[in-house]
């Protein structure tokens, strides 16, 4: 999708220059990191709008849901029922080590 959008924008730039190399170079040189959408030539604006519309349609066909960020706010965690015990309410489980489990070095012996 991104590749198609870039190619469409380049073709729109070429069409906007009407085959004049100097106009194409001027239009390319005017695009930089802070270029606003409204600063682009109208042919490029139309190509970008069509590419974005096509990308959203394709995402929706593939099962993705497109929504505004405001409408998909995270929800607050649900409160725990009053009588339910949580992991922090219980004492830690400690029992005899299982045979074949990891071994700890004997206490009091360190590397010398």
């Amino acid at each position: 999708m991104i590749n198609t959008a870039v190619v469409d924008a380049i073709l729109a730039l070429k069409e906007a220059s009407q085959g004049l190399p100097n106009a194409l170079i001027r239009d390319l040189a005017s695009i930089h990191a802070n270029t606003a959408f409204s600063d682009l030539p109208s042919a490029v604006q139309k190509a970008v709008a069509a590419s974005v519309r096509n990308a959203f349609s394709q995402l929706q066909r593939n099962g993705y849901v497109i929504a505004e960020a405001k409408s998909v706010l995270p929800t607050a965690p649900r409160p725990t029922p009053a009588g339910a015990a949580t992991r922090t309410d219980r004492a830690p489980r400690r029992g005899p080590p299982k045979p074949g489990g990891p071994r700890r070095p004997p206490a009091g012996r360190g590397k010398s």
Side-chain angles (χ1 to χ4, degrees):
M1 284 188 276
I2 294 171
N3 185 43
T4 303
V6 170
V7 170
D8 289 345
I10 291 170
L11 291 175
L13 273 172
K14 287 174 76 175
E15 288 175 16
S17 69
Q18 299 172 351
L20 301 173
N22 289 343
L24 178 61
I25 292 171
R26 183 193 67 230
D27 288 343
L28 283 173
S30 69
I31 299 172
H32 50 81
N34 293 328
T35 301
F37 183 73
S38 60
D39 295 337
L40 296 172
S42 63
V44 177
Q45 289 179 8
K46 290 176 184 175
V48 169
S51 294
V52 169
R53 204 171 21 254
N54 185 25
F56 276 107
S57 298
Q58 189 171 356
L59 286 170
Q60 287 176 331
R61 277 193 305 262
N62 291 338
Y64 291 94
V65 176
I66 313 298
E68 288 186 38
K70 295 176 186 176
S71 66
V72 189
L73 295 176
T75 58
R78 296 181 190 167
T80 308
T86 61
R87 180 73 184 124
T88 57
D89 294 342
R90 291 184 257 148
R93 295 181 190 160
R94 297 185 195 254
K98 294 182 180 178
R103 294 180 156 220
R104 295 184 187 167
R109 286 193 171 178
K111 293 184 179 179
S112 314

